Amino acid sequence: IQAAWNLKTRALTEMVYVDEIDMDQEGIADIILDENAIAQVARPGTSLKLPGTSQGGGPSPAVRPVTQSGRPITGFVRPSTQSGRPSTMEQAIRTPRTALTARPITSASGGYVRPGTASMLTNPDGPFINLSRLNLTKYAQKPKLAKALFEYIFHHENDVKNALDLAALATEHAQFKDWWWKVQIGKCYYRLGLYREAEKQFKSALKQQDMVDTILYLAKVYLRLDQPVTALNLFKQGLERFPGEVTLICGIARIYEEMNNISSAAEYYKDVLKQDNTHVEAIACIGSNHFYSDQPEIALRFYRRLLQMGVYNCQLFNNLGLCCFYAQQYDMTLSSFERALFLAENEEETADVWYNLGHVAVGIGDLNLAYQCFKLTLVNNNDYAEAYNNLAVLEMRKGHTEQARALLQTASSLAPHMYEPHFNVAILSEKVGDLQRSYTAAQKSEEAFPGHVDTQQLIKQLKEHFAML
């Protein structure tokens, strides 16, 4: 690392000297020197930052809700993409995410403690191993002990610098012939955000020993560099060497789903089930896809399969309740939601259940019950933008215009990626004659969901009004 840092420092010094001679070359030098630089405007279907550019004809936000990063909500919470609210202060410090971002703040943060090592957390009597006093050179010459020590430093202590030092000394002692140490060095580089260096280490390890884990780590590097097409090709090459490997097929399906190509993702998830018919993620994602494709009866079969496999949690019963309601199996709907409320582990899960109960109440025409359900949603989770939006619609039906406007403003500030609050503000403002505010809100709605026909019609009407003025 020190050698690489010196190289970059020297390059920056040369850049300053170039800057004094010719200002126009500054941008060019920046791009050449930054190995992690990616294109500002990606080609369609080649970027995870712009999932709407996929050619797969993904679902619209009117049918399937999207996350703040613009991706459709999947049927399964995956590692390194979403995270619940931490329950303890220590967990909050180790978790590098906030409620408003879909990605970690930095790749060098914590949040990597494994369940198996959580019981070894530092106690008041002092640390289990004092890393500052270790002679890493001595331990690097004992391969079996060095590997165990590296695992402890990397996974438990989360001290990437010492782990990298130990791995570098150990691979040097092994004369650069041990592929395992190259993989560990690559993991350290990945954690430090040095993705190109990590890529070199993983590729070198693959040449020495073909391993599925190494392919998965290399794919993570490419995804962090926003190169999903390269990751897809890597997975497909891996499948040629490891036919039917479930983790590789699942990796392809995840990438397609993140790129909003839901049809291709569903096909690969079905391939996963051909190899392993108890794969929870594949069953959940296919079930979710059928539900949002207006096939709740088929989705119900997949969720019942999860129940038969022993999955017993709030989310499953919540989904079962929704599927039963939309499949018109009303006898099971409320009992499923009751079980979901009983199994909810935190307030956010409880809020989700009450929100869905509100939708059931709207479906059966009991608006007073719906109002109470959405209120209970906000009692459990005060940042629930969808509940604010739906409460505003109910207030508009009652004729309470100002309350509805305040609720919609709250919803749009909490979730600017949703088009519904902006569109509802536009409609409400247009009805009371505030055309300027209506036009501004309609533009925000169009930006969040360009294909929304009602928004386009409203903008067209407003433009005609302005033309007449």
Side-chain angles (χ1 to χ4, degrees), residues 150 154 160 163-165 167 183-194 198 202:
F150 175 87
F154 186 80
V160 182
L164 181 58
D165 289 343
V183 172
Q184 308 316 310
I185 293 173
K187 285 160 67 174
C188 292
Y189 279 142
Y190 177 84
R191 191 78 68 85
L192 291 168
L194 302 170
F202 290 136

Side-chain angles (χ1 to χ4, degrees), residues 106-123:
T106 166
S107 58
S109 303
Y112 295 91
V113 176
R114 299 184 300 175
T117 53
S119 59
M120 296 170 63
L121 287 171
T122 306
N123 51 37

Side-chain angles (χ1 to χ4, degrees), residues 30 65 69 107 133-134 160 172 174 220 226 261 295 302 346 382 397 408 416 431:
D30 251 335
S69 57
S107 58
R133 295 186 178 181
L134 286 181
V160 182
E172 190 177 345
K220 280 181 70 175
D226 197 25
N261 192 345
Q295 297 172 322
F302 283 94
N346 53 51
N382 203 32
R397 289 177 67 93
L408 287 172
K431 281 184 178 179

Side-chain angles (χ1 to χ4, degrees), residues 138-383:
K138 182 181 77 173
Y139 288 106
Q141 295 170 4
K142 301 176 182 178
K144 293 179 181 177
L145 187 59
K147 289 182 179 181
L149 182 60
F150 175 87
E151 293 279 341
Y152 175 82
I153 296 172
F154 186 80
H155 290 292
H156 178 263
E157 291 298 324
N158 197 25
D159 188 342
V160 182
K161 182 182 178 299
N162 277 321
L164 181 58
D165 289 343
L166 176 61
L169 291 167
T171 193
E172 190 177 345
H173 179 261
Q175 298 179 346
F176 305 98
K177 292 178 181 177
D178 191 340
W179 64 271
W180 192 87
W181 282 115
K182 291 185 178 180
V183 172
Q184 308 316 310
I185 293 173
K187 285 160 67 174
C188 292
Y189 279 142
Y190 177 84
R191 191 78 68 85
L192 291 168
L194 302 170
Y195 302 121
R196 289 299 179 188
E197 285 80 356
E199 178 192 8
K200 291 172 187 172
Q201 294 293 333
F202 290 136
K203 281 185 172 179
S204 177
L206 276 175
K207 285 179 184 176
Q208 285 186 347
Q209 180 73 34
D210 215 1
M211 294 289 290
V212 175
D213 280 355
T214 314
I215 295 173
L216 294 172
Y217 279 122
L218 186 54
K220 280 181 70 175
V221 170
Y222 286 134
L223 289 176
R224 189 52 62 89
L225 288 171
D226 197 25
Q227 295 179 359
V229 178
T230 310
L232 283 173
N233 293 335
L234 178 69
F235 279 134
K236 288 172 182 175
Q237 290 168 12
L239 281 173
E240 292 174 4
R241 304 192 294 273
F242 301 97
E245 176 58 43
V246 170
T247 51
L248 299 180
I249 304 172
C250 191
I252 295 174
R254 287 179 179 180
I255 294 174
Y256 276 127
E257 199 164 38
E258 288 184 4
M259 292 172 70
N260 212 357
N261 192 345
I262 303 298
S263 54
S264 298
E267 291 300 319
Y268 277 98
Y269 278 128
K270 288 174 184 174
D271 289 343
V272 170
L273 291 182
K274 287 175 187 175
Q275 303 295 331
D276 177 11
N277 57 10
T278 60
H279 198 276
V280 175
E281 180 179 348
I283 296 173
C285 288
I286 293 173
S288 175
N289 186 35
H290 281 300
F291 177 80
Y292 287 118
S293 301
D294 202 18
Q295 297 172 322
E297 301 89 351
I298 302 175
L300 189 58
R301 290 171 55 190
F302 283 94
Y303 288 126
R304 282 177 58 194
R305 168 68 176 160
L306 288 177
L307 197 60
Q308 290 168 353
M309 284 167 48
V311 179
Y312 195 78
N313 56 26
C314 169
Q315 292 86 350
L316 179 57
F317 279 101
N318 178 51
N319 292 351
L320 281 169
L322 281 174
C323 289
C324 287
F325 176 71
Y326 286 107
Q328 299 181 2
Q329 299 184 16
Y330 301 122
D331 53 335
M332 290 292 294
T333 303
L334 289 180
S335 59
S336 296
F337 281 124
E338 282 177 2
R339 188 65 57 87
L341 282 172
F342 177 73
L343 292 171
E345 295 179 354
N346 53 51
E347 292 180 345
E348 291 177 353
E349 291 179 2
T350 309
D352 283 334
V353 179
W354 280 118
Y355 176 76
N356 289 328
L357 277 167
H359 269 287
V360 171
V362 170
I364 62 177
D366 192 343
L367 298 185
N368 288 327
L369 175 61
Y371 190 86
Q372 293 299 324
C373 287
F374 292 135
K375 282 284 189 183
L376 282 167
T377 303
L378 295 179
V379 167
N380 287 285
N381 183 2
N382 203 32
D383 293 338

Side-chain angles (χ1 to χ4, degrees), residues 58-70:
S60 70
V63 177
R64 188 167 186 164
V66 295
T67 61
Q68 186 147 356
S69 57

